[in-house]
Amino acid sequence: MEKKLKQIFTGIALGLALILSLGAVALAGKSWGWYEKEPKPTLEALSFEETGYGTYAVSLKDYEATEVVVPSKYNGKPVTEIVGREGLDLTMDTMNIVYETDTADEIRTLLLDFAKTMSGDSGPGEFDTSGLEKGRMGFGLATNLKKITIPESVQVIGVNAFWGCCSLIEIELPKSIKEIGSNAFKYATSLERVQLPSKLEHCGARVFSYCMSLDKINIPQTEELPEDLFYECRALEEVTVPEGVKRLSENVFRGCTGLKRVTLPETLKIIGYRSFYGCKALTVLKMPAVLESCGADVFYGCESLLEINIPQMEELPSQMFYNCKALYKVTVPDGVKKISRNAFSYCEALREIVLPETLTEIGEYAFSSCNRLYSINMPAVLEVCGAGIFFGCTSLGRVNIPQMEVLPSRMFYNCKVLYKVILPEGVKTVSGSAFAGCKLLSEIVLPKTLTEIGDGAFTDCIKLATVYNLSGLELTAGADTFGGVAKYATNIYTELPAA
C-alpha cells in the first residue's frame, strides 16, 4: 500500500513539473515571438504599387476601414513604404481654421466635409479641390481609421501619409522607420501617443501639427527640429529635447497651450521664430549658455512664464517676451547690444530689469505697458532709442536718462508716477509727447545742450512746478510754448541749487 501511494505521489509530482515546464516554455515562446502569430494583414483594404527597387509601397483602398494591418511582404517582396501624397495639405485659410480657437471637434467636422468633397459624395462644398487627384493618397483623409499596425519592413512614411486621419488614436511605428515626410500626421486630432524610432534619420515639417490629443512624445537624436513640428499640440505637457539638437526651427511648439515643462539641451544654438508662441502653461525655462540667436516672438504670449535666464547673445529679438504677464524679474547679461521693439511689452508683472553696459540700442516700445516696473537703471551711453520705450509704465517712478542726443517721442508717455527728471548734458532734442501724461512730474532739469522741445512733449504734466532751465531756451511760466514744459511752472531757475 505504501509503495502504491509513493508511486501515485511521484506521478503527481512529475505531472506538475511537466505542466510548469510547458507553461514556462509557452511564456518564453510568447515573449520571444516563437508562438505569437503576426496580425493578419487586411489585404482587402489596401492597394500596393511597386517602387522600382524590388519593393512595394502601400496605400489605403477601403476608406470605411477602422483598423488596418499592413503586411511585411506582398507578392513575395518587402513592403517598405507608406505612400505619400504631394499637394494634399491645405492652409488654415483654405480650411477656415482659426488659430487657437477651433477645437478638435470643429476641425474634425471640417475634415469630414472635405473628405466628402474629395470622394464626390457632396457638391463642390466650400473647398477648392482643383488640382487634387483622388488617387494615390496614402492613408490621407481616412477619417474612419482608428488603428494601424505597421510592420518592421517599412522604412518610409511619405508626405501627407496620414494627413487628416482625425479618428486615428493609436499607431505603433516600427524601429525600422528612417524617414517621416512632411505633414505625415497633420490634423490627426485624436492621436494620443507616438513612440518615434531612435534611428529616425529624417523628419519633415509639420509632421504632428494639430495633433491636439497628443500628450506624450519622445524626440530622437537629431541636429534640427523642423518647422511647425508640434504646432497646436495642445495636450502636450512635457518635452525633453535631447543633447545634439542645435536648432529649433520656427513654430516648433507654437500653440502648445498645455506645455508646462521643456528641457533644452546645452548643444542648442538657434531658436527659431515663434518657437514657443502661445505656450500659455509654460512656467520656467532654462536656456542653454551657448545659444547664439532667437527669432522674433519666440515666447510671445507665454502668460505663465515666471522666470527665465537670458544667455549671452548680441540681440534680443522683437516681441521676444511680449505679453508674458507673469514674468517678474529679468537680467539682461553683458554682451547684449540690442533690445528690439516690443521685446518686453505687456509684461505686466515685471518689477525689476537689469540692463548691461554693453547695451547700445533699445527698440521702440521695448518696455511699453510694463505697468509694475517701478525703476530702471539705463546704461550710461545709449546710441539708439526708439519711440515709446516706457509708454504706459504707470508705476515707473525713477529712471536715469543716458547720454543721447534725442529723447524719442512718447518715451515716457503716461508714466503717471514719474516725479523727477534730469536730462543729461548732450541731449539736444526732446521729441513730441515724450513726457505727456506724467501727472506727478514735479521737477525737471534742462541741460545746456538742449535746443528743441517738440509739440506736446509735456502735455498734462499738471504738477510740473519747478524747471531748472540751463539751456538757452526762453521759457515763460504759464506759456504753452516749448512743448508746455513751463505751462504749470511756478519756479523757473537758470542754475542748479548749490550742493
Side-chain angles (χ1 to χ4, degrees):
M1 181 70 176
E2 184 179 343
K3 186 176 180 182
K4 192 172 183 180
L5 286 171
K6 188 175 182 181
Q7 289 174 342
I8 291 171
F9 284 125
T10 302
I12 291 171
L14 288 171
L16 287 171
L18 180 60
I19 290 169
L20 290 171
S21 297
L22 289 172
V25 170
L27 286 170
K30 187 175 182 181
S31 65
W32 294 339
W34 296 345
Y35 304 113
E36 190 173 12
K37 290 185 179 180
E38 287 188 7
K40 185 178 179 181
T42 47
L43 296 178
E44 68 282 356
L46 303 170
S47 61
F48 300 86
E49 56 184 271
E50 290 195 68
T51 63
Y53 301 99
T55 62
Y56 276 93
V58 62
S59 60
L60 190 64
K61 181 169 61 177
D62 179 9
Y63 273 72
E64 298 300 318
T66 58
E67 292 192 16
V68 170
V69 177
V70 176
S72 58
K73 289 186 177 181
Y74 183 73
N75 287 342
K77 297 178 181 179
V79 176
T80 60
E81 181 181 348
I82 305 293
V83 169
R85 174 68 165 76
E86 296 286 350
L88 180 61
D89 189 32
L90 300 174
T91 65
M92 286 193 297
D93 291 337
T94 306
M95 290 289 291
N96 292 326
I97 292 172
V98 181
Y99 166 72
E100 256 191 352
T101 60
D102 283 353
T103 65
D105 286 341
E106 288 169 334
I107 292 175
R108 176 186 171 86
T109 299
L110 286 168
L111 290 166
L112 291 171
D113 289 345
F114 181 64
K116 288 179 181 178
T117 303
M118 286 293 291
S119 65
D121 291 344
S122 63
E126 59 181 315
F127 303 107
D128 178 12
T129 59
S130 59
L132 291 178
E133 302 172 11
K134 292 181 182 178
R136 203 179 189 276
M137 290 179 63
F139 290 77
L141 272 177
T143 53
N144 294 306
L145 187 64
K146 294 182 179 179
K147 181 179 179 180
I148 182 168
T149 301
I150 300 175
E152 287 287 341
S153 60
V154 173
Q155 298 180 17
V156 177
I157 294 177
V159 173
N160 301 313
F162 296 96
W163 186 98
C165 291
C166 54
S167 298
L168 185 63
I169 297 172
E170 183 180 350
I171 187 167
E172 290 187 15
L173 299 180
K175 296 178 182 178
S176 56
I177 298 290
K178 294 181 179 179
E179 179 180 339
I180 301 177
S182 300
N183 309 308
F185 296 95
K186 188 173 182 179
Y187 299 124
T189 54
S190 300
L191 188 62
E192 294 178 355
R193 294 193 179 187
V194 175
Q195 180 76 19
L196 292 174
S198 59
K199 294 184 180 180
L200 186 67
E201 295 175 1
H202 173 75
C203 187
R206 301 172 297 279
V207 165
F208 297 105
S209 285
Y210 285 94
C211 290
M212 293 180 171
S213 301
L214 187 67
D215 61 13
K216 190 171 184 180
I217 190 81
N218 67 302
I219 299 175
Q221 285 191 337
T222 179
E223 286 200 356
E224 178 178 353
L225 299 191
E227 65 185 60
D228 298 7
L229 183 60
F230 299 106
Y231 189 111
E232 284 285 316
C233 291
R234 300 177 191 177
L236 199 60
E237 292 189 1
E238 185 172 355
V239 169
T240 298
V241 181
E243 291 296 329
V245 174
K246 296 179 181 179
R247 180 189 182 100
L248 301 184
S249 299
E250 63 184 53
N251 296 315
V252 167
F253 297 102
R254 178 177 173 177
C256 294
T257 52
L259 190 61
K260 297 177 182 178
R261 291 174 295 278
V262 177
T263 302
L264 298 178
E266 287 301 317
T267 52
L268 189 64
K269 294 184 177 181
I270 298 172
I271 299 178
Y273 170 75
R274 293 190 170 180
S275 288
F276 296 95
Y277 184 107
C279 293
K280 295 180 179 180
L282 189 63
T283 55
V284 179
L285 186 69
K286 183 181 179 183
M287 305 246 273
V290 298
L291 192 70
E292 296 174 357
S293 68
C294 280
D297 302 359
V298 65
F299 298 106
Y300 188 117
C302 292
E303 296 177 358
S304 300
L305 189 64
L306 293 168
E307 55 183 276
I308 192 166
N309 66 304
I310 297 176
Q312 286 187 342
M313 46 198 287
E314 287 200 357
E315 179 181 350
L316 302 191
S318 61
Q319 302 183 146
M320 184 176 186
F321 298 102
Y322 190 101
N323 205 32
C324 291
K325 295 180 179 180
L327 193 64
Y328 66 92
K329 183 179 179 181
V330 169
T331 298
V332 181
D334 281 328
V336 174
K337 296 179 180 179
K338 179 180 179 180
I339 296 176
S340 301
R341 64 179 177 84
N342 297 105
F344 295 93
S345 291
Y346 291 94
C347 291
E348 296 176 355
L350 188 62
R351 295 175 179 272
E352 182 180 346
I353 185 162
V354 178
L355 301 178
E357 287 299 320
T358 54
L359 188 65
T360 58
E361 181 177 349
I362 300 178
E364 60 184 20
Y365 299 97
F367 302 98
S368 62
S369 297
C370 292
N371 52 28
R372 292 192 182 180
L373 186 65
Y374 61 88
S375 70
I376 189 166
N377 285 318
M378 304 274 279
V381 178
L382 200 60
E383 296 174 4
V384 179
C385 188
I389 62 169
F390 298 109
F391 185 107
C393 292
T394 54
S395 298
L396 188 64
R398 186 183 66 82
V399 64
N400 65 304
I401 297 176
Q403 288 183 355
M404 51 197 297
E405 288 193 0
V406 179
L407 257 64
S409 62
R410 302 179 296 282
M411 184 174 184
F412 297 99
Y413 188 98
N414 209 30
C415 291
K416 295 180 179 180
V417 300
L418 190 64
Y419 62 92
K420 182 178 179 179
V421 168
I422 299 175
L423 300 182
E425 292 297 331
V427 173
K428 296 179 179 180
T429 302
V430 176
S431 301
S433 302
F435 294 93
C438 294
K439 294 185 177 182
L440 292 186
L441 184 62
S442 60
E443 182 179 317
I444 191 166
V445 176
L446 306 179
K448 295 177 182 177
T449 52
L450 186 66
T451 59
E452 181 181 0
I453 300 178
D455 291 344
F458 294 90
T459 297
D460 289 333
C461 293
I462 57 178
K463 293 196 174 183
L464 186 52
T466 302
V467 177
Y468 291 95
N469 181 23
L470 311 184
S471 73
L473 301 175
E474 296 183 3
L475 303 183
T476 303
D480 206 13
T481 54
F482 299 106
V485 66
K487 183 175 182 178
Y488 300 99
T490 56
N491 299 294
I492 299 176
Y493 302 102
T494 56
E495 56 183 35
L496 295 174

